[in-house]
Amino acid sequence: LNGNNSHKATRLMSNDRLQQWKVRGYASDLTTSSFHIGELMITRNDEMLLKCEQGFNEGQRVEVLFDVDDNYIPGDAIDSIVSVECLSFNQVPKDLAPIPSAVQGFVTDRVGDDFWLDDIFVSTSSDTVYENGELRFVSPSVNVEVQGLVDPETSSIQAELVRFVDIRVEINFPI
């Protein structure tokens, strides 16, 4: 997911018989009558709230289900909302020991030597091994697989291996 709400996709398929639409993203500009996911405005109408134990809040990651609206014009608000499901990721039971894990995704942000894969925080150390690239190649929109231990207290991954899915190389040659 890019800053302009574009996606890097590995497969797109058409479906001419859709009965409902789904959109996932972070809710913004939340009011009692509407909210946004990116630039898409969604008009609220007593939709069902699913898995929103702490309420439906600004910045909440959600999946919104709509009835198909054959008259929808791109750029208009969608008003055929059926439900909003609050999404929670990486909620590991806190009584478990660190859990070996492998996660693949696109880097969404970098903080020093650490980075985010969507909402998964990946911490690195001097012992982290990089395959098909180097630490300096970690940047937004780069596809990586991270292997390491999930910390149940923070739901973050301590990376043992970062593998670049698309091989990264640096080439220097005289001009």
Side-chain angles (χ1 to χ4, degrees), residues 5-126:
N5 292 320
S6 63
H7 292 268
K8 188 180 269 191
T10 57
R11 183 182 341 170
L12 295 175
M13 297 169 45
S14 67
N15 184 342
D16 298 329
R17 295 172 301 205
L18 282 177
Q19 300 299 313
Q20 293 185 312
W21 294 333
K22 284 185 184 179
V23 175
R24 284 187 180 178
Y26 296 93
S28 63
D29 304 322
L30 180 63
T31 68
T32 56
S33 61
S34 68
F35 64 97
H36 284 85
I37 292 181
E39 296 296 316
L40 177 65
M41 183 172 178
I42 300 166
T43 304
R44 300 182 70 182
N45 59 10
D46 298 326
E47 70 278 356
M48 292 185 294
L49 291 179
L50 308 170
K51 299 181 184 174
C52 295
E53 289 82 18
Q54 271 78 42
F56 179 27
N57 301 303
E58 181 80 16
Q60 175 77 43
R61 186 180 173 117
V62 295
E63 179 178 273
V64 184
L65 183 66
F66 308 94
D67 286 327
V68 169
D69 179 356
D70 293 329
N71 298 316
Y72 175 73
I73 299 170
D76 285 354
I78 295 181
D79 59 6
S80 59
I81 187 171
V82 174
S83 66
V84 173
E85 180 178 342
C86 296
L87 301 176
S88 300
F89 295 100
N90 309 317
Q91 293 189 345
V92 179
K94 297 198 183 323
D95 57 341
L96 296 176
I99 302 166
S101 179
V103 177
Q104 181 178 336
F106 292 96
V107 175
T108 52
D109 196 12
R110 182 168 170 182
V111 181
D113 291 347
D114 303 330
F115 57 96
W116 292 86
L117 290 180
D118 199 5
D119 64 340
I120 301 168
F121 184 72
V122 178
S123 59
T124 63
S125 70
S126 59

